[in-house]
Amino acid sequence: MADLVEEVPADSENSMQTIAERVRRYRPDLIRPAGNRAASVALILRNLHDNPEILFIQRAENINDPWSGQIAFPGGNRHPDDADVVETARRETAEEVGIKLQNDSLLGRLDDLQGRKNNREISLIISCLVFHLETPQRIIPSVEVGNSFWMSITDLVNPKNRIQYQTDYALEPYPGVEFSSGVVLWGLTYRFVQKFLHVIR
């Protein structure tokens, strides 16, 4: 897959109308669970009128979490009583960061992705729902969240922030985005960001 982060210009076209309309029009490729576990994450936008930003969390350090300490979106496994993947994303977001996503805040959905761990596919299908916060809400992180922050789309596509990130379990580095704090966006969440930027370009 081409590095879509490199291909998306940081320009004034990323307006509220452009982003919202393109996300709503997008028809995602969905993966049927077929024996796989299902999970959902929320890509949450704010400031679409001015300088659009995306909410990221850093997962708390936990030896039992395969994605411990990594940059992610709020989200988690679908519960049997969740009506659909949208409800999973909304419930998990409320639990992890205290943000209550209303029904009318949903803009659309990105392509589903097959879960991976240590560079190998696992039986997990992850859905990504795109939401927009019209009204600011206070972030109240749970014990699962080590940190949370907003990053502008302009910074995400800035070539100066792109790096090649080397892990312990792969010979080749992964493309990534380094934040000002020194943490790196890579892996699954990076792939969802690529898909989102491709949709809105």
Side-chain angles (χ1 to χ4, degrees):
M1 176 184 292
D3 190 341
L4 299 177
V5 172
E6 291 186 4
E7 298 176 4
V8 178
D11 58 30
S12 59
E13 289 188 10
N14 287 330
S15 65
M16 178 186 68
Q17 185 176 9
T18 299
I19 291 176
E21 287 184 356
R22 291 183 179 179
V23 172
R24 289 189 181 111
R25 289 201 310 261
Y26 186 65
R27 296 296 177 262
D29 291 329
L30 306 182
I31 304 174
R32 298 185 65 180
N36 290 277
R37 290 183 295 121
S40 293
V41 297
L43 189 162
I44 304 172
L45 295 157
R46 73 174 184 181
N47 295 343
L48 288 187
H49 294 277
D50 183 18
N51 184 27
E53 296 178 314
I54 298 175
L55 176 66
F56 294 94
I57 64 170
Q58 184 172 15
R59 299 179 69 87
E61 298 289 343
N62 184 340
I63 60 173
N64 297 316
D65 181 358
W67 298 281
S68 172
Q70 291 187 18
I71 301 302
F73 293 137
N77 291 321
R78 181 175 179 179
H79 289 182
D81 54 350
D82 289 341
D84 51 29
V85 294
V86 178
E87 183 173 339
T88 301
R90 292 176 59 196
R91 175 183 54 75
E92 286 284 343
T93 297
E95 292 175 0
E96 291 188 348
V97 293
I99 291 178
K100 294 179 172 56
L101 298 168
Q102 305 303 319
N103 288 329
D104 59 0
S105 66
L106 178 65
L107 296 180
R109 182 173 175 177
L110 303 179
D111 299 347
D112 290 346
L113 290 179
Q114 183 79 43
R116 301 181 69 86
K117 178 183 176 183
N118 296 344
N119 209 30
R120 296 181 180 180
E121 287 191 357
I122 58 176
S123 58
L124 177 66
I125 305 301
I126 305 104
S127 301
C128 183
L129 290 303
V130 182
F131 296 88
H132 172 231
L133 282 185
E134 288 280 0
T135 304
Q137 293 190 40
R138 180 186 174 195
I139 294 177
I140 307 173
S142 72
V143 294
E144 299 177 45
V145 178
N147 193 14
S148 63
F149 50 90
W150 296 89
M151 188 169 189
S152 71
I153 292 176
T154 299
D155 287 336
L156 280 171
V157 301
N158 187 338
K160 294 180 180 179
N161 296 328
R162 294 185 216 120
I163 65 169
Q164 294 295 307
Y165 183 69
Q166 185 65 57
T167 66
D168 296 332
Y169 47 81
L171 295 177
E172 298 296 326
Y174 290 90
V177 177
E178 186 171 24
F179 298 151
S180 59
S181 61
V183 297
V184 178
L185 166 67
W186 68 284
L188 175 79
T189 307
Y190 178 90
R191 291 161 65 197
F192 274 131
V193 168
Q194 286 192 102
K195 288 179 178 292
F196 171 73
L197 295 174
H198 178 72
V199 168
I200 69 170
R201 64 173 302 203

